[in-house]
Amino acid sequence: MTKPQPVADHGPRPLDRRSPLPLWAQLFDDLRRRVAAGEFTEEFPAEHRLTGEYEVSRHTVREALRKLRADGLVIAERGRASRLDTRRIQQPLGSLYSLYRDLEGQGVEQRSEVLRLERTADGTIAGHLGLPPEAPLIVLERLRLADGEPLAHDTAYLPAEIAEPLLATDFGHTSLYGELSRRCGVQVTGGRERIQPFLPDIRQAWLLGLADREAAFAIERLGRAGARPVEWRETVVRGDRFAFVAEWADGTGAVALSPASSPASPTRPSV
């Protein structure tokens, strides 16, 4: 008896005509698998090629492609062949990361427009950092650009007693964590984040190039050096250019749900 040959990671897999799952949904799943395996980096296959590879109708192919476009994996423009959306940036969850370092690591050119770098005071932010309400803070507000296009509106607050040397820094093409370590001798070692969907205000939508009522991600981060809070950050990220990725295994902790009556406040009038 001939043993079945293992199916390679690359290339199309046969669709199951007896499955209750529609053919277009099976095709969508298989195309996602092939994208994740590294196929289509040069070009994405045209409709006629997919109909032949999977032996399905053009209607089935179009339904699968429509879902790929809706999920932001494929770009389709009039008069041009479909292609992968390489503009989307992936960010891991559950780990300490630097947006600057991770963008550079993904081959994305990044720079920042510094909107504000100064001393300030804010009782609520000071409370997040475990400081008295009147404690002086350093605020760094930036528009983060990836390959020249707006990606995130980012505002970080740090205790002035440790972050005063940052006022002399040009943050156009450097990381906050790197400069905090070099100039202040402070290493951010951990923290926590809260991420939720968010409708940007008029100023943020204008800065990020978003249409009216276009949703984004709001991120609140508390960064710590050891046990001490040293950073409170509020970030609004374009949802069409950013994806959060989580890896999990058996035994990982449960997700904590916050009460719907007490949502986060990712933006503030002073930002």
Side-chain angles (χ1 to χ4, degrees):
M1 186 175 186
T2 304
K3 296 175 64 176
Q5 296 297 312
V7 180
D9 287 339
H10 293 264
R13 291 177 176 174
L15 306 183
D16 185 357
R17 263 70 178 176
R18 295 171 298 177
S19 170
L21 192 66
L23 290 177
W24 72 263
Q26 295 183 50
L27 175 55
F28 165 74
D29 288 342
D30 199 51
L31 289 173
R32 282 181 61 97
R33 174 191 62 82
R34 295 173 69 183
V35 168
E39 282 197 76
F40 314 138
T41 54
E42 297 296 328
E43 63 175 358
F44 193 82
E47 289 183 7
H48 66 84
R49 175 180 155 189
L50 293 175
T51 59
E53 284 184 344
Y54 288 94
E55 299 180 347
V56 293
S57 68
R58 179 161 291 187
H59 172 75
T60 297
V61 169
R62 287 177 176 172
E63 281 297 302
L65 293 180
R66 182 187 62 80
K67 187 65 169 62
L68 287 172
R69 290 193 296 270
D71 282 8
L73 293 176
V74 170
I75 299 174
E77 297 174 348
R78 187 181 298 276
R80 297 184 61 181
S82 297
R83 64 190 190 278
L84 293 184
D85 188 354
T86 56
R87 303 171 305 168
R88 185 168 295 244
I89 296 154
Q90 296 194 116
Q91 182 59 62
L93 292 171
S95 62
L96 180 66
Y97 64 88
S98 161
L99 183 60
Y100 172 88
R101 184 179 62 245
D102 287 358
L103 288 178
E104 297 278 303
Q106 294 180 46
V108 178
E109 180 190 4
Q110 83 86 36
R111 63 183 179 87
S112 296
E113 293 181 7
V114 178
L115 306 177
R116 192 162 47 128
L117 176 57
E118 61 189 17
R119 288 174 65 98
T120 189
D122 186 299
T124 302
I125 300 296
H128 290 313
L129 294 170
L131 300 172
E134 68 280 3
L137 306 170
I138 301 299
V139 57
L140 170 62
E141 180 185 4
R142 292 172 291 176
L143 178 64
R144 315 294 296 273
L145 305 173
D147 285 338
E149 296 185 21
L151 173 65
H153 175 235
D154 187 66
T155 308
Y157 300 85
L158 306 98
E161 62 178 296
I162 65 170
E164 191 86 29
L166 296 180
L167 292 174
T169 305
D170 178 3
F171 281 100
H173 189 72
T174 190
S175 70
L176 172 58
Y177 287 175
E179 295 300 328
L180 188 62
S181 176
R182 280 190 292 271
R183 294 175 180 264
C184 308
V186 176
Q187 184 79 36
V188 176
T189 56
R192 62 175 174 83
E193 282 190 339
R194 180 176 180 178
I195 305 168
Q196 65 181 19
F198 175 69
L199 285 177
D201 61 27
I202 294 175
R203 178 173 179 258
Q204 290 167 330
W206 178 77
L207 286 170
L208 293 172
L210 297 175
D212 184 39
R213 308 294 293 174
E214 186 174 351
F217 290 115
I219 306 172
E220 289 181 338
R221 173 188 285 196
L222 179 66
R224 297 189 181 95
R228 179 183 180 181
V230 294
E231 173 204 27
W232 177 261
R233 190 183 298 219
E234 299 170 346
T235 306
V236 177
V237 187
R238 286 182 56 143
D240 62 338
R241 299 202 64 204
F242 208 77
F244 292 97
V245 180
E247 294 189 7
W248 59 274
D250 187 27
T252 53
V255 174
L257 300 179
S258 299
S261 58
S262 57
S265 302
T267 55
R268 303 171 54 80
S270 61
V271 173

